[in-house]
Amino acid sequence: MSTVTPYLYLISLLVPTACMALLDRRFRLVLWRLPSRHRRAGVLTLGLGIGFFLAWDLAAIASGHYAAGQSPGMTGIMLAPELPLEEIVFITFLSYLTLVLHGLVVSALSRLRPEIHTAGPEEGR
């Protein structure tokens, strides 16, 4: 029988979040975009996403639709009744992933845009 470290789930959320932050920094997708007004908008949007999903979870907890699971891979740290630390990290991961994917799609489309315009119906004008 193998023993599971109590921080395994938390680590499995933090590592991909850190990797996303590295990709974000390398390709300047969300939080490292220039100028700084884009960074502020990214941080604000990330905060709003976290706030939205946290409110959603708290409403589900209050109505009895959600209860924290027990796993040997979890830390056992509860931030509120039925709200484990890992849930906040997961919410952050989910919100950040969405922003990074949006930034990636916008970046890819902006690189394709010149090719789309040169092949469009306006060529004959």
Side-chain angles (χ1 to χ4, degrees):
M1 182 187 299
S2 68
T3 59
V4 177
T5 177
Y7 291 91
L8 185 62
Y9 182 49
L10 183 61
I11 291 167
S12 71
L13 290 169
L14 290 173
V15 169
T17 303
C19 291
M20 268 194 311
L22 290 173
L23 286 171
D24 180 14
R25 183 173 184 207
R26 167 65 178 91
F27 296 106
R28 299 180 189 278
L29 299 171
V30 181
L31 300 181
W32 278 274
R33 285 189 62 184
L34 298 176
S36 64
R37 64 183 158 81
H38 290 294
R39 280 190 299 253
R40 283 191 298 264
V43 170
L44 178 64
T45 305
L46 181 60
L48 288 172
I50 293 167
F52 173 78
F53 285 115
L54 180 58
W56 181 305
D57 277 358
L58 292 174
I61 290 168
S63 67
H65 286 82
Y66 174 81
Q70 297 298 322
S71 165
M74 294 178 65
T75 63
I77 299 170
M78 301 300 276
L79 302 175
E82 304 299 332
L83 185 67
L85 169 66
E86 291 86 355
E87 184 67 14
I88 300 297
V89 176
F90 175 72
I91 289 169
T92 303
F93 169 77
L94 183 65
S95 299
Y96 193 29
L97 173 65
T98 302
L99 289 175
V100 168
L101 287 175
H102 177 267
L104 182 64
V105 168
V106 168
S107 177
L109 289 176
S110 69
R111 291 175 193 250
L112 291 174
R113 191 170 295 151
E115 296 170 10
I116 293 171
H117 286 298
T118 58
E122 296 179 3
E123 271 186 302
R125 289 186 185 181

